[in-house]
């Protein structure tokens, strides 16, 4: 589980089982990571990572709550749909779409990412619709 804190609210993200999500875990092994995230097109918040991560791109349509790796070095949290070639990292688990939009607000945000509990198993991952 990946934790993202925005404006005092903890957002829990269940990670996919792929090399990209594991690379994000690796970035956080030494502690939390703060990323300034910009709003784009009233559908996403994105922030640049300091390094490129492995990609597992596929053509998908995002939903509110999808966490995506774009271009290998952009961490993106969607709060509206978009169709493009992206790498799935995970999905928000503890907030509904309206709650997520309220927490993210309008404009840019500062997000603090940290690792929470690990996912149970690959079998559990494969059952999640957000990572198929």
């Amino acid at each position: 589980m990946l934790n993202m804190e925005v404006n005092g609210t903890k957002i829990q993200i269940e990670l996919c089982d792929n090399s990209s999500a594991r690379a994000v875990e690796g970035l956080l092994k030494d502690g939390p990571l703060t990323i300034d995230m910009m709003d784009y097109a009233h559908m996403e918040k994105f922030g640049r990572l300091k390094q490129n991560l492995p990609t597992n791109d596929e053509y998908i349509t995002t939903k509110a709550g999808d966490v995506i790796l774009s271009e290998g070095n952009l961490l993106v949290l969607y709060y509206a749909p978009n169709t493009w070639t992206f790498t799935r990292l995970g999905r928000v688990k503890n907030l509904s779409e309206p709650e997520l939009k309220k927490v993210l607000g309008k404009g840019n945000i500062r997000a603090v990412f940290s690792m929470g509990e690990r996912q149970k198993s690959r079998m559990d991952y494969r059952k999640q619709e957000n990572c198929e």
Side-chain angles (χ1 to χ4, degrees):
M1 192 72 68
L2 176 68
N3 294 320
M4 175 183 181
E5 188 170 324
V6 176
N7 298 323
T9 298
K10 184 189 265 187
I11 301 170
Q12 296 175 325
I13 301 164
E14 192 162 15
L15 291 172
C16 295
D17 185 14
N18 62 38
S19 60
S20 306
R22 287 189 292 278
V24 170
E25 287 180 309
L27 290 176
L28 300 172
K29 69 181 180 199
D30 294 327
L33 176 65
T34 301
I35 301 177
D36 290 320
M37 302 181 80
M38 295 185 293
D39 192 83
Y40 179 75
H42 308 293
M43 69 176 166
E44 69 182 60
K45 303 288 187 190
F46 76 94
R48 191 166 304 280
L49 299 169
K50 293 181 181 179
Q51 66 188 70
N52 283 337
L53 302 181
T55 61
N56 292 277
D57 287 346
E58 58 183 312
Y59 189 75
I60 59 173
T61 298
T62 63
K63 297 183 273 186
D66 282 343
V67 179
I68 299 292
L69 177 67
S70 180
E71 302 177 26
N73 68 346
L74 296 176
L75 188 71
V76 186
L77 174 56
Y78 276 89
Y79 58 91
N82 186 26
T83 302
W84 199 254
T85 302
F86 298 120
T87 295
R88 294 177 187 273
L89 292 176
R91 180 147 181 80
V92 171
K93 287 301 186 184
N94 66 323
L95 298 175
S96 67
E97 181 177 343
E99 291 169 327
L100 182 60
K101 285 180 179 180
K102 183 177 180 183
V103 168
L104 295 178
K106 295 182 180 184
N108 301 340
I109 61 170
R110 176 164 282 174
V112 179
F113 292 88
S114 62
M115 287 307 303
E117 65 182 68
R118 294 192 58 85
Q119 286 181 265
K120 295 174 192 152
S121 71
R122 287 184 181 205
M123 190 88 146
D124 291 338
Y125 149 74
R126 296 197 187 280
K127 292 178 186 175
Q128 298 171 14
E129 68 179 48
N130 61 296
C131 294
E132 293 177 343

